[in-house]
Structures are given as structure tokens and as C-alpha cells.
Amino acid sequence: MSGQQQQQPPPPQPPLAAAAPPPAPGIPSAAANPGSAPAAALLLHPPPPPATAAPPPPAAGSGPAATGGGGTGAALGLSAGSSSSSSGTSAPAPFPHGDPALNEQEKELKRRLKRLYPAVDEQETPLPRSWSPKDKFSYIGLSQNNLRVHYKGHGKTPKDAASVRATHPIPAACGIYYFEVKIVSKGRDGYMGIGLSAQGVNMNRLPGWDKHSYGYHGDDGHSFCSSGTGQPYGPTFTTGDVIGCCVNLINNTCFYTKNGHSLGIAFTDLPPNLYPTVGLQTPGEVVDANFGQHPFVFDIEDYMREWRTKIQAQIDRFPIGDREGEWQTMIQKMVSSYLVHHGYCATAEAFARSTDQTVLEELASIKNRQRIQKLVLAGRMGEAIETTQQLYPSLLERNPNLLFALKVRQFIEMVNGTDSEVRCLGGHSPKSQDSYPVSPRSFSSPSMSPSHGMNIHNLATGKGSGTHFPGFESSCSNGVISNKAHQSYCHSKHTTTSLNVPELNNINVSRSQQVNSYSSNDVDMETDHYSNGVAETSSNGFLNEVDSSQLRRQLCGGSQAAIERMIHFGRELQAMSEQLRRECGKNTANKKMLKDAFSLLAYSDPWSSPVGNQLDPIQREPVCSVLNSAILETHNLPKQPPLALAMGQASQCLGLMARSGIGSCAFATVEDYLH
């Protein structure tokens, strides 16, 4: 009798949840209602907010319990197969329908699997989490989220045996993989098998009887390795026992455990892509699987630590030989370039002195880049753009797409209330909204001209914008621009704005007088401690992060004039986008970037919206990195430090090892050596 294997149909596409309603027509002006984000959205004419995807459909293993009469019999086993699962589904959430207790169990499962198998990318190679209702013989019944298996057949002859495979094969990146099966009832005869099998192996058999199938049977304690003839291996098992199966993907072996005690190696030279498998043969047999839903009886983590130590020792023993001096010099140069790249001036100088190296970039240049990075990470994009234009006049002119990306980020920071152009207009956002200084510093972005005919290169250089910065002098002290415009910045912005909003005339600009001195000695980034791009503590006046639930977040800090300025800036940004498209052609990335930024205004609370992640301070880091790399290119220095490239290459090699079935990659992560 052949196994009735069914082809799993592709999973249905997840439906899209209803998007937030677009702004209704007739909403009053944003200036009249500073808290009205939809009003601002209406003025900017943004696209409708993107729909949010519903949670993915449950995995094949999470469907309703299969029902059937008859007793149960049990055999546990593993089977090898192709890397694609028979069920054809991605790693599912086995509890999709909202029971809080079940949802908490699913969270605990994710945490445990991530701790056990940190090198596994479940988007690429999902882990087994349940038995597959599509990859089993008809005499097998499943229940309890497809974790309980019971026998539904007649159980008269070996031809009545039945097995089931897990939803996915065991990824090589696990290094060491383990699951346990509890014998709920041995049934009539206890003909149960636990083990592994490949995709395509006959499910009308107990695991171990066919090629690429391996099993440990409970009635006689024998192990079966692709053969109907078993070999003495361990004790028998019965009701109440917990049998574990461990697959070592480093040396391709398998051993079993009984009630937390190892029984020794059962199989060697295992093929890749094996599936956890269990088989039953007589009525009354019932077993429960534990793929990580609960703590294991056997201490598998201790066994994993043992192998991690072995692999790391192999790496440490890698022969270098006579080239040790050459390697040492190379590594020192890589470290030095990394420190320079990220602007750690003092550390770079000290490291260079201790290793008899020379710093490739001038100290003044490093500090200039460092200053710009600090402005970006503080959300002060306007000042960062202006400082870049002052220090590197042709950089943004030659990179219009970079300038556009910076301006889009500036718009997002305006919404957030952190950019200088809205801060100086009286908006005061909560500390949780930014990590901005108590008093705005000099340098804001020039006002972008609303003229649609302006050349994109004029936008890059600030020409034609009609904006002047009185009191700005670009004298350098120790290679860093010295600010002479602190006290005149806010006043200059108010007198040159083209908004003609009456409220602007009454704005109190005294805050611009309350600035702290900002000397070149304050620039070194090593004096600030960043967490996700937000300054936690600083000698330069940066605020500490506070709980966002303590203070109410307001659009543009809650200022009417700031909202008007943000809307005006958005219109200018739209004009810039159209000009850029005319001069440089269509750019899908730019279009999406602008659409996402404008979509923030379609929600009364942008921070809690589906696109609110843009307001997270951590999103400043990619912008900072791109701008820093562009500046480095102007000095003929690499865009990425060699150390980062080497780390990236190592990570890619580990990924290639995982895809090639080399399990040792699980215990050779780059992060282990960085920490």
C-alpha cells in the first residue's frame, strides 16, 4: 500500500487590512488648527495612506484538528528531503485567531527558537514548528495545533503503519537541532517510531524502514537506518516517556535521549534536509511533539555550548604561519580606517600613534564630517544640509538625488518637530519626540524656492532661494566651522520667510538668544553616547530620552506657524521632485520616498500610524551613513571602511555555508567575535 502524499497548494495571499480613511474635504486650514495633521495632508495633496497587511495566514500545521475514530498507535522518526517543505508554507504563527494565552505561547516559541538557533533566517529557511496536515498518511490524525498525533487505522499488519512529517526540513544553519516527543499512550502494542525522513519517503511506513529514513522504535528499542532490519540501540519506551532526537548538522550524526539522558549516537552520515518524523501502527497510540513550544527535558543548550567551543577553537587554531606580521599590519590599517570613517578623531589619533601609522584624512576634515553626522543624528537636517553646502560646496550640486533624500528627511523631521526651521517658529515638541538641544543652534537649511522653474543645481547650492543668513561667517577653528550666527538665526528666518502668516510677527524669538557656546572642542563624537541614533547624554546640551508615553506628541511641536512652514516646505519639495524628474528622469525610489513622507500627514497621530516608523530616530542613521560616504568620496576615500566590507564578506560566507548545508556556520557568527 503506497503512502498517500498530497501536493500542497500554494498558500493564499494575505488580505490587506482596510487603510485609514483619507482626509475628508473641507477640513479647515492647518494654521487654524495646529493639531490637525489631516488638514496639512489636504494642503499637500498626498497620496492615500498605504494599506497595512493583515497577519499572514496560518501555517499548514495550524489548521483545525483532524478528527477520526479508532485507536492510536505510535512510531517516531525523522525523514530527509528537499529544502522546500511539502506543505509549501512559510513559518506560520500556529495560533492565528487571537486567544491571548496561545499568542503568548507563540511569542515564547519565537524567543526560544531564536535563542537556540540564532543563525537561522526563517524568512529563507523556516524552522519546523508543527506536523504537516498535508504530508502524512491517511491513518494519522492531528490535533492541538498539529502537535498531537493519534492513530486512526486498523493496525492489523505492518501495511497499516502510518507516519507524518513536520512542516519544514531542519535548516543547516541550526548547527545542532533538537525536538522531543512525549508518549501520551502506547496504545495496543506500542509500535511507535521517532526519527527523520526525506521529502518523498513513503508515509505508509514507520520511520527507518525505507531509504533516507531513520527511526528509533519503542516496542523493541532498535534503531532502523533505511532498512526493515533494526539494530539494537536503546531501551524500549512506553506511556509517559519523553524521547528526544538530536541532529548534529556539523558531523551529520543523530542521537536520541530518553527522559533527559543521552542514549549515544544512533546514525551517522546523514543526508541534508531531513524532516522530523513520527510513525504509529496500532490503535490507541498517541504522542505529543515539542519543537520548542516548551522547555526541553534534555539540556540541549549545554550540548550546543560544547560544540560552539569546538568550532571557535578550530577558528582560533587557523594557521597563519610566517604571514602573522603582514596580517597584523593589515588589521591595524583596517581598524584605523574604520575609526577615521566614523569620525572618532581622538581614538584614531591615539591608535595611529600606538601602531606607528598615519591617519589618511586630515583632522579638520574628520571633524567637519563628525559635525555633520551629529546634526543628522539629532534630527537637525536643515542645519546638516547647510553645513554640508558650506564645507563641501559642490557635493550636493553633483548629487541631486542625495540632496532630495536629505530634503525629504528634513520634511520628516519637521513633522517630528525636531528640525530647526520649525523649532525656531515657536514649536516645542516633547523630549520624547527628539533629542534636540534646548536651544536651536546656528545653520538651518536655506528656504527652497517655490519656483518650479528653478534649476536643480541652484537648489543644491542654495542659489536663487532668496534666503540670506546674516552674521554667518565660515571661519575655521581647528578645522571646524565656527558659528557666529547663533543669535541672528531665528530672526533671519522670520524676516526672510515668504509665508506672510500674521502669527509669525508675534513669534517670540528670545529662545534664539539662549544658546550655548559651541566650540570646536565640543565636536568629538566620542563625547556623545548614541542609542539608535539618539543622543542619550551629551556635553553639548542634547536632551536625555524620556518615555514617550509621558508627554503628548504634537505635529511640528504644536506651533501654527511651524505647521504652515512645514506645509510650504512640502510644496517646495514636490516642486523639487518634479524638477528632478524633468532633468534626471524618473526615479522610483525618490517617488516612494516622497509618497511615504507625505503619507505621515494623513493621520492625526503620525507616530502611531502605519508609516510612523519614519519618525523613529533610528531612521536617521541610514541618511547619516549615505551622506558621510558621499563626503568621503570627495576625498578619494572609500565609501565603506574595509573593516565593514570584511565583516560583510564574512557574513555572506556564513550564509553561503548555511545554504550549502555546512552546519558549523551556526557557531561561527561574526557577532561572537565582535563582542
Side-chain angles (χ1 to χ4, degrees):
M1 186 173 185
S2 62
Q4 299 177 7
Q5 320 250 346
Q6 302 179 21
Q7 183 66 31
Q8 166 79 354
Q13 294 297 320
L16 293 179
I27 295 178
S29 164
N33 183 5
S36 174
L42 185 63
L43 290 171
L44 277 176
H45 307 293
T52 57
S62 61
T67 59
T72 59
L76 304 173
L78 292 171
S79 51
S82 64
S83 59
S84 61
S85 78
S86 61
S87 63
T89 60
S90 61
F95 314 120
H97 294 303
D99 184 319
L102 295 181
N103 288 336
E104 186 57 38
Q105 290 178 28
E106 173 64 8
K107 292 178 182 178
E108 178 60 29
L109 172 62
K110 289 181 179 179
R111 288 191 290 265
R112 185 172 288 111
L113 292 181
K114 191 62 181 176
R115 186 179 72 249
L116 290 172
Y117 316 113
V120 174
D121 179 3
E122 287 209 76
Q123 296 298 320
E124 185 174 329
T125 53
L127 287 160
R129 292 173 180 237
S130 63
W131 302 115
S132 171
K134 298 294 185 179
D135 195 10
K136 67 182 183 65
F137 192 64
S138 59
Y139 290 170
I140 289 292
L142 299 178
S143 60
Q144 299 189 9
N145 297 301
N146 294 333
L147 293 173
R148 171 161 290 187
V149 183
H150 65 271
Y151 183 74
K152 301 191 301 181
H154 304 292
K156 294 180 179 179
T157 70
K159 293 183 179 180
D160 293 328
S163 294
V164 59
R165 268 186 286 269
T167 52
H168 300 286
I170 301 168
C174 290
I176 305 290
Y177 181 79
Y178 185 74
F179 72 100
E180 289 183 340
V181 174
K182 181 177 181 179
I183 313 304
V184 178
S185 172
K186 79 178 188 67
R188 190 185 71 195
D189 299 324
Y191 291 167
M192 306 168 288
I194 300 169
L196 306 159
S197 66
Q199 177 63 40
V201 170
N202 189 357
M203 290 283 92
N204 189 199
R205 308 268 284 170
L206 291 184
W209 287 353
D210 297 313
K211 186 177 181 181
H212 298 312
S213 181
Y214 310 86
Y216 168 37
H217 291 198
D219 61 310
D220 55 12
H222 286 188
S223 63
F224 291 77
C225 179
S226 303
S227 170
T229 303
Q231 301 295 324
Y233 171 65
T236 61
F237 51 86
T238 186
T239 302
D241 288 331
V242 175
I243 305 300
C245 179
C246 179
V247 183
N248 186 322
L249 296 122
I250 301 171
N251 62 11
N252 300 317
T253 63
C254 169
F255 71 86
Y256 289 88
T257 67
K258 180 180 178 182
N259 300 328
H261 300 284
S262 174
L263 302 179
I265 298 296
F267 308 113
T268 59
D269 300 320
L270 293 175
N273 299 317
L274 293 173
Y275 290 71
T277 306
V278 64
L280 313 174
Q281 187 177 318
T282 63
E285 295 170 351
V286 183
V287 298
D288 285 345
N290 177 11
F291 294 104
Q293 284 82 3
H294 308 283
F296 294 120
V297 176
F298 178 72
D299 188 358
I300 189 62
E301 293 187 63
D302 183 64
Y303 181 71
M304 288 178 167
R305 283 190 291 270
E306 177 185 332
W307 273 92
R308 181 175 288 107
T309 301
K310 290 181 181 179
I311 296 302
Q312 293 180 351
Q314 289 182 14
I315 295 172
D316 293 341
R317 291 196 302 267
F318 181 81
I320 296 178
D322 297 336
R323 300 180 60 190
E324 182 173 357
E326 179 183 336
W327 280 71
Q328 189 73 13
T329 301
M330 182 188 304
I331 291 174
Q332 290 172 352
K333 289 182 178 179
M334 293 170 70
V335 172
S336 177
S337 66
Y338 180 84
L339 296 172
V340 170
H341 179 95
H342 290 288
Y344 297 111
C345 303
T347 305
E349 285 187 301
F351 186 79
R353 286 194 302 269
S354 66
T355 56
D356 295 325
Q357 297 184 68
T358 57
V359 178
L360 298 180
E361 186 180 4
E362 293 181 1
L363 179 63
S365 175
I366 298 175
K367 289 193 173 184
N368 285 337
R369 287 192 296 106
Q370 186 183 77
R371 176 184 185 149
I372 293 170
Q373 290 179 67
K374 289 181 69 175
L375 292 172
V376 173
L377 293 175
R380 300 158 63 181
M381 287 303 305
E383 297 176 63
I385 293 171
E386 176 62 20
T387 305
T388 302
Q389 291 169 333
Q390 291 291 331
L391 296 173
Y392 309 98
S394 61
L395 174 63
L396 298 182
E397 182 178 355
R398 295 195 311 267
N399 295 272
N401 286 319
L402 173 59
L403 174 63
F404 181 75
L406 297 177
K407 293 289 186 182
V408 171
R409 186 66 212 177
Q410 183 179 2
F411 177 84
I412 293 170
E413 297 298 349
M414 285 183 167
V415 174
N416 213 11
T418 50
D419 190 72
S420 303
E421 290 206 32
V422 297
R423 294 292 296 227
C424 279
L425 295 177
H428 181 70
S429 58
K431 294 178 182 179
S432 61
Q433 214 162 291
D434 56 60
S435 57
Y436 198 80
V438 174
S439 303
R441 305 243 167 82
S442 69
F443 303 133
S444 179
S445 68
S447 298
M448 296 193 300
S449 170
S451 169
H452 288 221
M454 172 177 285
N455 188 282
I456 198 72
H457 300 305
N458 290 340
L459 290 170
T461 59
K463 299 175 183 177
S465 65
T467 302
H468 176 60
F469 293 86
F472 181 89
E473 300 174 17
S474 57
S475 61
C476 288
S477 172
N478 221 4
V480 182
I481 289 292
S482 176
N483 304 338
K484 302 291 181 66
H486 291 304
Q487 299 185 359
S488 61
Y489 169 71
C490 287
H491 178 71
S492 70
K493 295 303 294 180
H494 295 161
T495 57
T496 59
T497 183
S498 60
L499 282 180
N500 295 322
V501 179
E503 289 84 355
L504 295 183
N505 297 327
N506 299 321
I507 294 294
N508 185 346
V509 299
S510 62
R511 291 176 68 248
S512 64
Q513 311 296 326
Q514 303 169 359
V515 294
N516 301 321
S517 62
Y518 187 47
S519 68
S520 60
N521 293 330
D522 293 327
V523 173
D524 201 335
M525 291 184 75
E526 290 146 312
T527 64
D528 290 341
H529 305 284
Y530 286 90
S531 174
N532 290 342
V534 182
E536 295 175 336
T537 60
S538 171
S539 61
N540 295 330
F542 284 84
L543 298 174
N544 291 331
E545 192 77 357
V546 299
D547 187 356
S548 61
S549 63
Q550 297 174 359
L551 296 170
R552 180 174 177 267
R553 298 173 295 195
Q554 293 180 298
L555 186 71
C556 300
S559 164
Q560 298 180 18
I563 291 176
E564 289 289 353
R565 175 61 193 133
M566 179 267 295
I567 293 171
H568 186 71
F569 187 92
R571 289 171 176 164
E572 295 171 342
L573 194 56
Q574 178 66 37
M576 181 181 181
S577 172
E578 295 170 359
Q579 182 72 20
L580 187 60
R581 187 168 59 251
R582 285 194 294 270
E583 294 191 5
C584 305
K586 293 183 178 180
N587 187 310
T588 303
N590 284 353
K591 181 178 179 181
K592 183 180 185 304
M593 191 189 312
L594 188 62
K595 176 181 177 181
D596 290 347
F598 282 175
S599 293
L600 287 167
L601 303 187
Y603 301 90
S604 58
D605 182 2
W607 293 269
S608 301
S609 71
V611 292
N613 66 301
Q614 297 176 89
L615 298 167
D616 192 324
I618 199 173
Q619 299 301 327
R620 299 166 185 165
E621 295 183 4
V623 178
C624 183
S625 177
V626 170
L627 179 56
N628 187 47
S629 296
I631 294 172
L632 285 166
E633 279 193 295
T634 65
H635 295 286
N636 295 318
L637 294 172
K639 293 174 62 176
Q640 297 294 330
L643 183 60
L645 293 176
M647 289 173 53
Q649 184 181 26
S651 297
Q652 288 296 317
C653 287
L654 291 171
L656 182 61
M657 290 173 66
R659 288 188 289 274
S660 301
I662 303 175
S664 56
C665 66
F667 303 129
T669 59
V670 175
E671 289 76 10
D672 289 341
Y673 291 88
L674 293 180
H675 297 300

